[in-house]
Amino acid sequence: MMLNVPKSLDEVAKALNLTRRDPKIYPRDYYVNSSSDRMLEIAAKLKNEFGVHHVSTVIVRDDEDGFHLIYPFSVILDNSEWGKLIVDFLVDKKNPEVESLTPEFPGLVIAEREAYDMMGIRFKNHPDLRRLLTPDIMPSDIYPLRKDITAEEIRRRLAEEAEKRRLDLE
Amino acid sequence: MTEYAPPIPETPEGDYSISIGPQHPTHKEPIRFIFQVKGETIEHVDLRIGFNHRGIEKAFEQRTWNQNLYLAARLCGICSAAHQFAYAQAAERCAKIYDEIPERAQYIRVIIQELERIQSHMLWYGVLAHDTGFDTMFHLTWRDREIVNDILEIISGNRVNYAMWTIGGVRRDISRDQITNIIPKLKDLRKKCDYHRDVMMSERSFIARQENVAILSTEDAKRFCAVGPTARASNVNCDVRKIDPYCAYNKIDFDVPLWDQGDIFGGLSLRLDETLISIDMAIQALENLPGNPGDIKIRVPRKIDPNEGIQRVEAPRGEDIHFVRSNGSEKPDRHKIRAPTFANLPSLVHRLKGCQVADIPPVIRVIDPCIGCCERTTFVDIKTGKSIDLSGEHLISRTNRAHRLGTRVLEF
Amino acid sequence: MAKLINKTKLVVDALTNSPFVGHLNCGSCNGCDIEIVAALTPRFDIERFGAVLQGTPRHCDVLLCTGPGTRQMEPRIRRLFEQMPEPKFIVAVGSCASTGHIYQETYSTCGKLDNILPVTAYIPGCPPRPEAIIDGVVKLITLARQGAKATEEEED
Ligand code: SF4
C-alpha cells in the first residue's frame, strides 16, 4: 500500500477529522482534542495511511475534569521533518479505563505500564499490565502522581509498610 | 531478598532462570533482568525497573519554575544538560517566549550539548571496551575523556552537573579568552578520538565479539519505537537535531551517520563517528559564536499562564522528551519526563532473546545505560537452589572459553 | 573505628594498606558514579594508594555508596551490607547520600543513607570531584590506623 506523505500537519488532522486547539505559534507542535473511543481508529489510520511508527510516550495529567491522556505521535512530513501530532483526550476519573494502543505500537508497552503505575489508568487489551516503577511495598490503592495524595502522605504510608515488612521478617 | 523480589516464573526441566540486577545505575531505570535460558541461549526476558525511582515528577510540582531547573539537572548525571535543556525549552514554549531567545545563547546551548555528547559517547565506548575485556582501551578513553571534562569545567565551573541553562537563555557566557583556550584542546581531542577509532576498528578479537550479536532490524527498531544511536545503528534516521530542529541546530552544518547492521558493532561505529562529528560541530559553533558578549538571556515572568509545552531534544542516548503544564501559579502543574533509555527498553528486551548468556553485558551496554550494571550477576540453579556469583570478568572468561572450545553450549 | 580496636597492628596494616573498595548505587543520579569511575582511571588513579575496585561487596572493605537510598533498594542495601566481611566501612559519596540533598522530600526515598546503614565517612559535593573521593578514602584509612594505634597503646 502506498503511504501518504503529508505536506503539513493540517493535512493529517483534516484526514482524521480533528481540529487544532492551540494558536499557531510552533508549527511542529500540533495539539488536537479527541475522545477515548476514537483513539483506536486514529492510531490505526496514522499507522497505516501516514506511516507513523514513533509514539514517544503516554502523558497523563490529573485535572479537575478528569485525566487527560496525551499521545505525541511523530508524523513524518514531506521535507523529512517529524511533526508532533499531540492527541489529547479525557478519561473519566471514577472509572479510568481506555483501550490500549500497544497492539498497534508495541513500543508503548512500558509507557502504558508507567501510566498505570503512576496514575492508575487501566488499559484494556494491554498484554502485561503490572506496576513498573514504584517500590514493591507500595500499597495498591496509591497512585503517586494523582493530585489527591501528597508526597508526605505517600512517604508516611511507605515508611509504615517498610517497617511492617521488617518486623515480619524478624 | 527473595521476599521483595518478583516471583521467578516456573521453568521447564533443564532450564535455568538467571536474575541480573538490581545494581544497575542509570538514573530512572536501574534494572533487574530475569532471563530464562536453555543451555546458553536466552529464551525469555522479564525486567523489573524502579530501583532508582525517587519520585522526581511529584517533586517538580512542589517547587517553582526556577528551582526545578536544578532538579532537572539531577535526573541523570551523564546527560544532565540534555534534561535541563529539555525542561527549560518546554517551559519557554509554555511561556511563549521560545522564539525570543538571543542567538548567542542558542549557540552556547549547542556547544554545551555537543560537549556533553562527546563525553557521554567516550564514556560509552570506554565501558563497552571494558565489558568486552579490552581494558587498555577503557583506560585510554577515560584518560582522554578528561579533556572534555576540563573544557566543561572552564566554561561552567563544574565537571558533571553544569547548571548552564536557565529559562530564557543560559547562565554563563563564553569569553574570547576561553574560546582561544578551548579550540586547541578540542583539536587535540579530535586527534585522540581518531586514534581510538583506528584502534577499535582494527582490533580483530574486539570486533569478533560484537559482530552479528543481538541484531535489531530496521523494522523492529521502528516497531519498538527505538530512539537515538540504537535506532540509527539500525538505519532509522531519528536524529532530533535534524528532524525536529531546535535552538541553533538548523544553522550549523553537520551530517547524521547511519549504519544498517543493527548489531553491537554498528552501535560502536556509529558512536565513534558521532563523537568526531560532535567535536567538529563544537569547534564550528565556537568559531562562529554570534552576538554581543553578555547578551545571553531574557527576562521571564515568575508566573506562567495556563498553557502546555512539549519539547524533545537529542540527548546522547536519544530522544528525550519533556512535557510541562502550567496553571498560572509559580509552580508547574504537571511535568512529565521520558528519558531515552526508557524508550529503548522494549527493543532491548526483544534483541536479548536468542542471545548467549556471555553476551549479556555488551548487549545491555549497547543501548547505553550506565556504568557497572553487570558487575553483580547472580546465577540461580533452580534445581539445587544454589546461587553462583558471576562478575563481568567471569562472563568474559566464559565467552573466551566458549570460543576456544568452538562451541557455544557449556555446562554449568 | 571501633571495629578495628581488637585487632593487632599487623592485621590493621594488612587491612588498610590496600583497601578493596566497592561501589553501590542506592538510587543516585549517576553523577557521583561516573566520578568514582573517573577516580579509578589514569588521571586520578586511586590504585596509587593501593585501593582496588571490586565487583561484589563480598570482597570489599570499603563500600562507596551514592544516592539517597530508595525504598525499593532499601532491603537490598541492608542485605549487601550484611554480605561484607568485617571490618567494614561505609562511605557516603555525594550530597545525596550524606544529607538527602534534593531528594529529602520525595516520596520513595529513605531520606539519607544514615537511615539505612551506619556511615563512617561523608564526602560532600554534587558530585564530589575525584580528588575529593580519593581524599575521603585516604582520610578514612588514616583515621582507622590512628584509632587502632591509640587503643593498642592504651592496652600496653
Ligand atoms: S550528589 Fe548530586 S551528582 Fe551525586 S547522586 Fe546526588 S544529585 Fe547526583
Side-chain angles (χ1 to χ4, degrees), chain C residues 48-119:
Chain C
R48 282 179 296 163
F49 305 103
V52 185
L53 187 80
Q54 289 298 315
T56 149
R58 289 176 203 225
H59 303 160
C60 291
D61 305 318
V62 179
L63 194 63
L64 305 173
C65 295
T66 58
T70 56
R71 279 273 172 234
Q72 174 78 351
M73 272 303 264
E74 185 194 351
R76 279 126 184 130
I77 297 169
R78 288 218 168 88
R79 173 125 176 179
L80 287 170
F81 179 68
E82 281 161 17
Q83 289 177 358
M84 285 173 67
E86 291 278 353
K88 48 193 169 187
F89 299 106
I90 302 292
V91 180
V93 179
S95 306
C96 280
S98 312
T99 64
H101 198 22
I102 52 171
Y103 307 120
Q104 270 167 19
E105 287 147 25
T106 56
Y107 59 82
S108 74
T109 63
C110 301
K112 54 184 171 183
L113 207 62
D114 266 344
N115 299 345
I116 308 175
L117 295 180
V119 181

Side-chain angles (χ1 to χ4, degrees), chain B residues 74 161, chain C residues 28-29 31-32 67 94-96 101 103 125-127:
Chain B
R74 279 149 187 84
N161 287 332
Chain C
S28 90
C29 81
C32 290
S95 306
C96 280
H101 198 22
Y103 307 120
C126 178

Side-chain angles (χ1 to χ4, degrees), chain B residues 69 83-93 109 165-169:
Chain B
L69 276 168
H83 282 292
Q84 213 179 5
F85 189 20
Y87 166 71
Q89 287 196 66
E92 281 157 14
R93 277 182 198 257
R109 286 176 167 190
W165 322 121
T166 175
I167 301 173

Side-chain angles (χ1 to χ4, degrees), chain B residues 346-378:
Chain B
S347 66
L348 175 65
V349 169
H350 175 76
R351 71 204 292 187
L352 273 167
K353 285 179 197 159
C355 283
Q356 304 295 309
V357 170
D359 288 334
I360 292 172
V363 176
I364 295 178
R365 176 69 46 209
V366 79
I367 68 158
D368 196 359
C370 302
I371 312 160
C373 67
C374 288
E375 302 283 68
R376 228 176 325 288
T377 314
T378 314

Side-chain angles (χ1 to χ4, degrees), chain B residues 82-83 86 240 311-315 318-322 337-340:
Chain B
H83 282 292
V240 180
Q311 174 71 40
R312 54 178 169 205
V313 302
E314 182 73 18
E319 176 204 42
D320 174 21
I321 189 161
H322 280 226
I337 307 142
R338 204 294 318 271

